[in-house]
Structures are given as C-alpha cells and as structure tokens.
Amino acid sequence: MLKNKVLHLSINIIFIATALFFINYHTLFKNNLNASAIPIIVILFLLIHLARFARMYFILLEDLINPKRFLQLYTKTTLVSTLIPFKIGEIYKMYCYGVETGKTLTGIITVIIEKFFDALILCLFMTPYAFSHPNFVPFYIILCIFIVTVLILYFSFEGTYYYLNNFLIRRGGGRKSLTLLRIIEGVKKGYDSARHTLQGRFVLLLFLSIIAWGIESFLVIFLNFGSLTFDLNTVFGYINDGFFGISNTLFNHYSNLCAIIFIPLLLVIYSKKYIQVLKNKERRGNGKTSCRL
C-alpha cells in the first residue's frame, strides 16, 4: 500500500513538474493583448472548460465521482495536457482517471472517447480547407487516421471478441489461454462501457464538443490582438501548432491563460483539502489521514 502511494505521488510530481517546466515564464504576465478584451477572453476560456468538464463528467457518469473531486482531477489533468507538447500529457490523464475509477482500461477508453469527439469536430471543420493549406495536412491526416482506427476497432471488436473467445476455449486449458481469456474479458467490459456511453450520450457529447470548439474559435479571435475578423486559417494554425508543440503566439497566450487560472485553482483546492485533513486529524486525535493527489 505504501509503495503504491509513493508511486502515485511520484507520477503526479513528475508530470506536474514537467508541465510547469514548459510554461513560458518570459511571457506569462507580459503580453500584447488588448486590455479591454481580457475579461471576454477569461469568460470564453471558462466557458470552454465548463463544456469540456461537463463532457468528461458525462463520459464517466456511471463511476459516480464526487463533483469536487472531479473538478480537482479535471483541473490538474487539463493543466498537464495543455502545457506538455505533443499531447504527451494525455497519458497522465489516462492514468489519473484509471486510478480514480480503479480500472486502468476505463481511464484509457475515457480519454480515447474524449479525443474521438475532438477529432471528429476538427475534421468536419478542416475538410474544406486542409488540402489547400499544406501546413495543416499532416495534422489533418493524423486526425483522420485516429478516427478511422477508432471506428474500425469499435465496429469490428464484437466479432473479433467472439472468434478469439471460441478459439481459446476450443484450444483447451492452459495458463496462457486463461491469461488471454481474462485480458479479452477485461477489454470486453471496457468495450461494453464505451458502447453504452456512445449509444446513450452520443448526441450530448457531440453537442458539448461543438460548443467547446465553437467558443474556442472565438477565443482565438480575441487572442489574435482582439481582432473580430473570423479567420479559420488562424484557428487551424493555432490548433495545428499547439498539437505539434510549435511556437505559436496564440497558443502561448492560451497556455499562459491555462497556467494563470488553473495553477491558483489547484492551490486553492489542495489548500482546502489539507486544512480539512488537519481538522479531521484533530478530531480523531493522532489518527493518520491522507490527502489524495
């Protein structure tokens, strides 16, 4: 138990410290944004994450995570996934939700579902423009490959599952066969959970994704020196460069905004938790309590 706690704490520290390392401290509080646009930028940023928070909460609805705890999880995983380039922070997000639900596969599938809806919306918007702008083609192809791969796995899984299940049973007992059967059954549970989520909440998740990306498009406009000119090239450039970790003024503004808002929020959340732990400790005497990261 102690080893697990130490490992969990170490993973949290490594990822959060890496995210803090990637903050552009030189521009954190120095920007050329229009001062009158800053309140609108902050409101748009909060609305984006309200929609994404709701989407992730509905994906994990059956796991009945406490909303306060979920806010903590969402804040730290979003901070890490935003600041670390090439979407490496998504691994941390998978880990955190897997630990919280007690099922590693649930954490992986949850993030895949979230990214599937993001990729679907972006592909729909980018299709008319991608091939006329060579800089966007690699990102567009990655999105398409991801969507097609997820769809193939989703629609072919059931047939593959029954075939492998029957094959391993006919093959007879054995340690390897039993291990593979357990793995397949575990994956089947994850697939059933994903299918239930997509069938029961597909329209809602799609709607929340459209809202989030629609608002983010307007956010990019205001980050672009407060310009009210709607330019899809600017929006796609911002998303493309952010994904590949390429230096981009607009994405730097967004990352800085994420750090400025989410880091103090995390400090408040953990401070309140620590104070509550101390109060509980006083009530119980010398009993040991822990504050989960």
Side-chain angles (χ1 to χ4, degrees):
M1 181 65 73
L2 181 59
K3 287 183 179 179
N4 289 339
K5 286 183 177 179
V6 171
L7 178 63
H8 180 63
L9 181 62
S10 300
I11 290 172
N12 275 278
I13 290 172
I14 289 168
F15 273 98
I16 292 174
T18 304
L20 296 178
F21 172 79
F22 279 104
I23 294 175
N24 190 342
Y25 292 98
H26 295 293
T27 61
L28 190 59
F29 295 104
K30 296 178 183 179
N31 57 66
N32 51 4
L33 294 175
N34 188 331
S36 61
I38 290 177
I40 300 173
I41 289 171
V42 172
I43 291 170
L44 290 173
F45 179 87
L46 293 175
L47 288 174
I48 290 165
H49 288 285
L50 179 62
R52 288 184 176 159
F53 175 89
R55 182 179 65 178
M56 184 62 85
Y57 190 79
F58 279 115
I59 293 173
L60 288 166
L61 193 61
E62 277 81 15
D63 291 282
L64 300 175
I65 302 174
N66 181 284
K68 290 183 180 179
R69 173 65 179 165
F70 195 84
L71 176 62
Q72 176 190 329
L73 286 169
Y74 179 84
T75 304
K76 70 176 183 178
T77 56
T78 302
L79 178 70
V80 169
S81 65
T82 301
L83 295 178
I84 300 180
F86 307 107
K87 298 300 177 185
I88 295 172
E90 299 301 326
I91 298 171
Y92 177 67
K93 189 181 289 188
M94 291 176 182
Y95 168 78
C96 287
Y97 287 117
V99 169
E100 189 63 26
T101 59
K103 295 167 281 189
T104 303
L105 193 60
T106 297
I108 296 170
I109 289 173
T110 295
V111 175
I112 289 175
I113 291 174
E114 180 194 37
K115 295 301 136 191
F116 174 79
F117 280 97
D118 283 339
L120 187 62
I121 298 302
L122 288 173
C123 261
L124 290 173
F125 281 122
M126 287 184 75
T127 297
Y129 301 90
F131 291 101
S132 59
H133 297 80
N135 291 340
F136 303 154
V137 172
F139 179 61
Y140 179 77
I141 291 173
I142 289 171
L143 290 178
C144 290
I145 291 172
F146 174 72
I147 291 170
V148 171
T149 302
V150 170
L151 290 174
I152 289 172
L153 290 173
Y154 179 78
F155 287 110
S156 67
F157 177 81
E158 209 155 0
T160 305
Y161 163 77
Y162 287 117
Y163 169 78
L164 290 175
N165 204 43
N166 290 331
F167 173 77
L168 291 170
I169 290 172
R170 287 198 309 270
R171 184 182 176 184
R175 193 172 296 175
K176 288 183 179 179
S177 294
L178 289 173
T179 301
L180 287 171
L181 281 169
R182 288 194 193 98
I183 292 171
I184 291 169
E185 285 302 317
V187 176
K188 178 67 163 59
K189 288 179 181 177
Y191 167 79
D192 289 338
S193 174
R195 185 178 63 177
H196 176 70
T197 299
L198 291 173
Q199 287 180 345
R201 279 156 270 174
F202 184 88
V203 175
L204 177 61
L205 297 177
L206 185 65
F207 178 68
L208 289 170
S209 300
I210 292 171
I211 289 175
W213 281 108
I215 297 172
E216 188 154 354
S217 297
F218 284 105
L219 176 64
V220 173
I221 293 169
F222 280 95
L223 288 175
N224 190 24
F225 310 111
S227 170
L228 292 176
T229 304
F230 189 82
D231 187 353
L232 284 175
N233 293 333
T234 302
V235 174
F236 294 146
Y238 152 84
I239 296 167
N240 179 78
D241 293 350
F243 179 84
F244 287 110
I246 300 169
S247 180
N248 178 297
T249 302
L250 298 181
F251 190 76
N252 286 343
H253 285 327
Y254 180 85
S255 299
N256 289 343
L257 191 60
C258 188
I260 290 168
I261 292 176
F262 279 178
I263 290 175
L265 179 59
L266 274 177
L267 290 173
V268 170
I269 290 171
Y270 282 116
S271 297
K272 289 180 70 176
K273 288 189 72 170
Y274 183 70
I275 292 169
Q276 189 61 47
V277 165
L278 291 178
K279 287 180 179 178
N280 292 339
K281 196 170 182 179
E282 287 177 4
R283 289 173 192 160
R284 298 175 186 177
N286 292 324
K288 292 182 179 180
T289 59
S290 62
C291 181
R292 289 189 299 168
L293 280 172

